[in-house]
Amino acid sequence: MFSNDKGILKLMATQLTNDALSAIEADWLIIPLAEAAPLPAEVSKLDEAIGGQISRLIEAEDFTGKLASTATLLGLSGIKTPRILLAGLGPAKDLSLAALEKSLMTAARAISIKKEIRAAVLLPEVSESSLSAAQIARQISTAMTVGSVGQDLYRAEPGRFPFQEVSIAGADSAEVQQAITEGSILGEAVNLAREVVNRPAGDIFPVSFADKVLEVAKECGLEAEILDEKQLADEKMGSMLAVAQGSDQPPRLAILKHQGGAASAPTLALVGKGVTFDSGGLSLKPSDGMKTMKCDMGGAAAVLGAMTAIARLKLPVNVVGYMGLVENMVNGSSYKLGDVLTARNGKTIEVLNTDAEGRLVLADVLTLAVDRGASNLIDLATLTGACVVALGEDVTGVFSNTPAWSQAVQDAAKTTGESVWEMPMFPEFGEQLKSDVADLKNVGLRWGGAITAAKFLENFVSETPWVHLDIAGPAFASANLPHREGGATGCMVRTLVEVAREYKG
């Protein structure tokens, strides 16, 4: 991460242990337990060593095992760890990756309030669940990495501290150890995306974001390319440049390339909206609407995080990440309502709302990705409030021109435990974008606005299989919850990595 003076990315020390639970030396021992289930044998032995305190908590219903419930035992003697946190998994038959994450994130956040904590976690064996030991271990590793990192980057006294080390007790196998390592890499990728978003626009603007891309590329072995405003003009990216012209901060297009497959193999392109601050332009947002607009580059941040994980996991595929970086601000040069822009692919766009700027940026970047030979496309953007109205704050909207490709992305999301929902792409929504003076308008009617935004983007992907992910809801959490830190979430990083892992073209 950026604040680490030994490198942007550094894996937390996470390891397997064969020690009996009573012999593990740590500051906290986290024991996940299913609701209304008998104690596992190893937990029963531990319970005997501490005088039956776990059993008494359960009998008194002070711990029920309900999902994300917790109970603590402090000042323990007779074992090497002085504190135990019981974490509820909910009913064993209902255990999913999403439920497991909620439980483990709650546990990690509950104990990461002091410096240099050594945590140990029991790898639960849930016979009624379809989850494998490797899947569970990966989720534990990711949750411990993400859950112990806060958003308090600028506080003199942080409220949360990354764990010094994490030990996972349970199935000792090469597959589980590999899953633990992968989980740490995914967690660091999520944290990288979170930190980029959580830093304010005074720290993260197009040029500084591009500089971080170069740092990440050097550390992870990725090939990097940065296009400045002159190069963007040479590439005829008039739609993206129009958004940027109202800011003193010049735009950048950052590109990261992972060549893990053969030169002739298909290429997956990941495209992220990177509006590092969105004032709305001349269609100015109210103050409340601007408060979280440092998060309007959540799509680009997700691409950045995913590319680091793809490189560090050495996935045998070809992936290129494109991050279109601009500020949408107001000055005498701002693009105006009624302006007609010419996008890279030659389509003309009538601007009827300067706060519908993300699609203008993505239009040119998607076209460039297609022109550079993308076989499949995924774009991510905090694009529309309409998607939040439709799906709430926790679900990503999925829009596509190719059912099979859409299903592949949805399957990847399910595998990682991230929530998505496919939205319709009926032709009549595209009819709303017809203009009397240009090829397209940049907005349609108020209703179904997330769909008309996706239909707009569809004009810039040619026939390439494409999925648009509207992450406006889940990209930024408005408040802390027991299982989730407020601020940036790093959503869809893990889904992108899973798509790349399974990618065949």
Side-chain angles (χ1 to χ4, degrees):
M1 295 174 65
F2 301 159
S3 55
N4 182 357
D5 59 7
K6 295 182 180 179
I8 293 173
L9 296 159
K10 180 185 178 183
L11 287 181
M12 181 175 63
T14 308
Q15 60 196 12
L16 271 174
T17 178
N18 290 320
D19 291 343
L21 295 182
S22 59
I24 294 175
E25 295 189 27
D27 299 302
W28 280 94
L29 172 60
I30 298 171
I31 302 178
L33 295 173
E35 185 177 357
L39 291 180
E42 62 269 38
V43 179
S44 291
K45 291 179 182 178
L46 178 70
D47 190 34
E48 291 177 12
I50 60 174
Q53 293 190 59
I54 296 175
S55 297
R56 287 197 294 273
L57 275 176
I58 295 172
E59 289 169 4
E61 297 185 349
D62 291 327
F63 177 75
T64 63
K66 289 183 178 179
L67 181 60
S69 62
T70 60
T72 57
L73 294 169
L74 306 176
L76 300 173
S77 59
I79 62 174
K80 295 292 183 67
T81 300
R83 307 174 190 89
I84 290 176
L85 179 74
L86 305 180
L89 296 174
K93 62 181 177 59
D94 297 334
L95 186 64
S96 63
L97 285 174
L100 185 63
E101 178 182 35
K102 185 173 184 178
S103 175
L104 294 169
M105 287 284 286
T106 301
R109 286 174 49 72
I111 68 172
S112 57
I113 55 176
K114 292 183 179 180
K115 294 181 180 178
E116 299 182 351
I117 290 292
R118 296 171 303 149
V121 187
L122 173 65
L123 182 68
E125 294 183 16
V126 187
S127 58
E128 295 181 51
S129 171
S130 61
L131 299 179
S132 68
Q135 286 178 300
I136 293 173
R138 184 182 297 111
Q139 200 78 327
I140 291 173
S141 184
T142 300
M144 294 299 111
T145 304
V146 175
S148 62
V149 173
Q151 63 171 319
D152 45 9
L153 300 168
Y154 299 90
R155 290 178 58 183
E157 297 183 9
R160 198 161 306 287
F161 300 91
F163 294 130
Q164 181 180 341
E165 66 178 33
V166 174
S167 299
I168 298 177
D172 186 2
S173 70
E175 182 184 16
V176 170
Q177 181 58 67
Q178 181 181 351
I180 289 171
T181 301
E182 289 180 359
S184 293
I185 289 172
L186 290 170
E188 286 291 348
V190 170
N191 283 342
L192 174 61
R194 290 174 61 208
E195 181 168 345
V196 173
V197 174
N198 280 333
R199 290 190 177 275
D203 282 359
I204 298 295
F205 43 91
V207 172
S208 68
F209 192 118
D211 289 342
K212 295 304 180 185
V213 169
L214 293 175
E215 292 180 45
V216 166
K218 183 177 180 180
E219 187 161 341
C220 296
L222 289 159
E223 181 181 332
E225 179 184 4
I226 307 296
L227 302 186
D228 62 21
E229 59 268 44
K230 182 180 182 303
Q231 291 167 304
L232 291 171
D234 291 342
E235 291 286 353
K236 299 181 180 179
M237 300 181 75
S239 182
M240 176 177 171
L241 286 168
V243 177
Q245 70 192 35
S247 174
D248 292 339
Q249 297 289 347
R252 293 290 185 267
L253 175 59
I255 303 170
L256 286 173
K257 183 177 182 180
H258 170 74
Q259 189 76 28
S264 59
T267 297
L268 169 63
L270 310 177
V271 176
K273 171 189 171 183
V275 179
T276 57
F277 188 80
D278 180 19
S279 71
L282 291 178
S283 302
L284 194 67
K285 295 177 183 288
S287 294
D288 282 348
M290 269 192 246
K291 286 179 181 176
T292 59
M293 281 301 101
K294 65 181 182 180
C295 84
D296 213 20
M297 29 70 74
V303 170
L304 176 63
M307 291 300 297
T308 68
I310 289 166
R312 297 170 86 189
L313 293 171
K314 297 180 171 59
L315 298 184
V317 290
N318 299 331
V319 187
V320 183
Y322 297 85
M323 293 151 275
L325 307 170
V326 302
E327 272 193 345
N328 186 24
M329 298 291 285
V330 181
N331 65 20
S333 300
S334 296
Y335 77 123
K336 304 169 183 67
L337 281 76
D339 281 355
V340 175
L341 315 177
T342 302
R344 175 182 169 82
N345 69 350
K347 288 186 180 290
T348 55
I349 305 165
E350 180 186 10
V351 176
L352 295 181
N353 188 331
T354 63
D355 196 23
E357 85 298 331
R359 66 200 70 183
L360 299 176
V361 175
L362 288 172
D364 279 341
V365 183
L366 285 167
T367 302
L368 181 67
V370 170
D371 291 347
R372 289 194 172 191
S375 306
N376 294 77
L377 286 165
I378 301 174
D379 81 71
L380 303 92
T382 48
L383 204 64
T384 66
C387 200
V388 186
V389 172
L391 298 178
E393 294 185 334
D394 299 318
V395 181
T396 292
V398 178
F399 307 78
S400 182
N401 63 354
T402 308
W405 181 230
S406 175
Q407 191 60 55
V409 175
Q410 292 178 68
D411 289 345
K414 183 177 181 180
T415 297
T416 61
E418 297 198 270
S419 298
V420 301
W421 193 260
E422 186 165 25
M423 302 289 280
M425 289 284 280
F426 299 136
E428 52 264 36
F429 286 94
E431 294 292 314
Q432 296 180 27
L433 298 171
K434 289 184 176 179
S435 167
D436 293 332
V437 300
D439 296 322
L440 293 166
K441 298 184 291 188
N442 76 324
V443 291
L445 302 176
R446 176 183 179 187
W447 313 114
I451 303 173
T452 53
K455 294 299 288 185
F456 177 89
L457 295 177
E458 192 176 19
N459 286 276
F460 301 92
V461 299
S462 189
E463 301 301 317
T464 307
W466 156 77
V467 164
H468 162 58
L469 300 174
D470 194 327
I471 59 173
F476 197 87
S478 57
N480 289 338
L481 293 173
H483 70 279
R484 183 191 68 197
E485 181 81 3
T489 65
C491 76
M492 303 312 290
V493 168
R494 289 172 294 166
T495 293
L496 294 181
V497 176
E498 186 63 24
V499 170
R501 188 195 304 275
E502 298 297 326
Y503 183 65
K504 302 295 188 295

